Amino acid sequence: MATPTLPRQRDRVATAAPAVVRGLTTRQRRRIALVLTVTGLVLGATFAGAPILWMLLSALKSNSEIFAYPPSLLSDNPSIQPFIGILQDPRQLRFFLNSYVVALSVVALTLLVAVHAAYAFSRYEFPGKHLMNVVVISVQAVPPVTLLIPYFGLMVALGLYNSYAGLILTYIVFTLSYAIIMMTGYFNTLPRELDEAARVDGTSSFGALWRILIPISLPGMVSVGMYTFMIAWNEYLFALTLTRTDDMRTVPIGIQLLMGQHSYDWNQMMAMSVLGSLPVIVLFVFFQRFFIGGMTSGSVKH
């Protein structure tokens, strides 16, 4: 006789939770949402920050402490000697110099080309515009690793193997399409009346671009510049393939070269990784407001 009542019991259990939620006040719901949000952010920050913290603390340890069991988070005798060893080694400093030269050159050339191309896509109609848009998007969609062997052969044929020019031109190909897409979207958010008013006053199209649009497009340019810098600074595979000598290697390759045949200098590897991360972190800290604003504005077309 009790069997027919089971569906009713299941229905009451199923509706109990929604009834509890409906019984909460708006203030209680907001508190629960806030607690869940904060908990999620803390877990996400811990997941993202724990490896960085471990890297920094490992850079202050000796190799024997890094391999100690059970592992310890803090060193009994922390030392900055691994950092000093990196900064006093001319070979390691050359890696940093190469990375700065390549990354800053890629940023400057990418922005120079992308701004003019995006201005043309945003403000003018010309034959082949749709086809060129498709080409730009298609380049962004191609996995870079598939181009490794063709680029190696091309750079050897052009005499650009193991040179700054070879790395810079290669990285520009990877960053330019994204930069054009982002800057075109950003220019589309700016009223056409701005450059039209400048041309009425006797300014040319290039004058309107450089005097009016570029100054108010700094958030978008900073966003694109930071993205470009990070791509060129962190890239490993092409930097390894397109260079041969230590005087042309970049920071990611320098970290890999600290792995010896019979031993690894883990503390120096961690120290160099920390020093290699600082430029990107500093850029993001100082330009965070422009970066977020540029990404948001460039993704919306009014």
Side-chain angles (χ1 to χ4, degrees), residues 75-97:
S75 171
D76 295 332
N77 297 301
S79 172
I80 61 172
Q81 187 59 41
F83 293 94
I84 296 176
I86 294 294
L87 296 176
Q88 289 182 344
D89 187 348
R91 180 168 172 259
Q92 306 295 338
L93 294 179
R94 178 71 185 192
F95 297 148
F96 282 94
L97 175 63

Side-chain angles (χ1 to χ4, degrees), residues 182-195:
M182 287 296 299
M183 290 307 302
T184 301
Y186 196 88
F187 282 148
N188 287 338
T189 67
L190 303 178
R192 293 176 179 268
E193 289 78 6
L194 292 175
D195 38 322

Side-chain angles (χ1 to χ4, degrees), residues 19-145:
V20 172
V21 174
R22 288 195 297 270
L24 296 176
T25 64
T26 302
R27 186 175 181 180
Q28 289 173 330
R29 291 178 184 176
R30 289 178 178 175
R31 284 184 178 179
I32 293 175
L34 178 61
V35 169
L36 293 176
T37 301
V38 172
T39 302
L41 291 175
V42 170
L43 292 176
T46 302
F47 183 78
I52 299 175
L53 179 62
W54 185 268
M55 178 179 68
L56 176 60
L57 295 177
S58 297
L60 302 175
K61 299 178 182 179
S62 63
N63 278 328
S64 59
E65 288 179 313
I66 292 177
F67 287 100
Y69 185 83
S72 61
L73 184 63
L74 299 176
S75 171
D76 295 332
N77 297 301
S79 172
I80 61 172
Q81 187 59 41
F83 293 94
I84 296 176
I86 294 294
L87 296 176
Q88 289 182 344
D89 187 348
R91 180 168 172 259
Q92 306 295 338
L93 294 179
R94 178 71 185 192
F95 297 148
F96 282 94
L97 175 63
N98 293 338
S99 286
Y100 278 114
V101 170
V102 172
L104 293 177
S105 299
V106 171
V107 170
L109 293 175
T110 298
L111 285 177
L112 181 64
V113 176
V115 164
H116 289 85
Y119 181 69
F121 281 124
S122 176
R123 293 300 195 259
Y124 296 100
E125 295 293 334
F126 51 88
K129 177 179 177 179
H130 178 71
L131 177 62
M132 294 183 66
N133 269 316
V134 172
V135 171
V136 169
I137 297 174
S138 300
V139 171
Q140 182 70 17
V142 175
V145 68

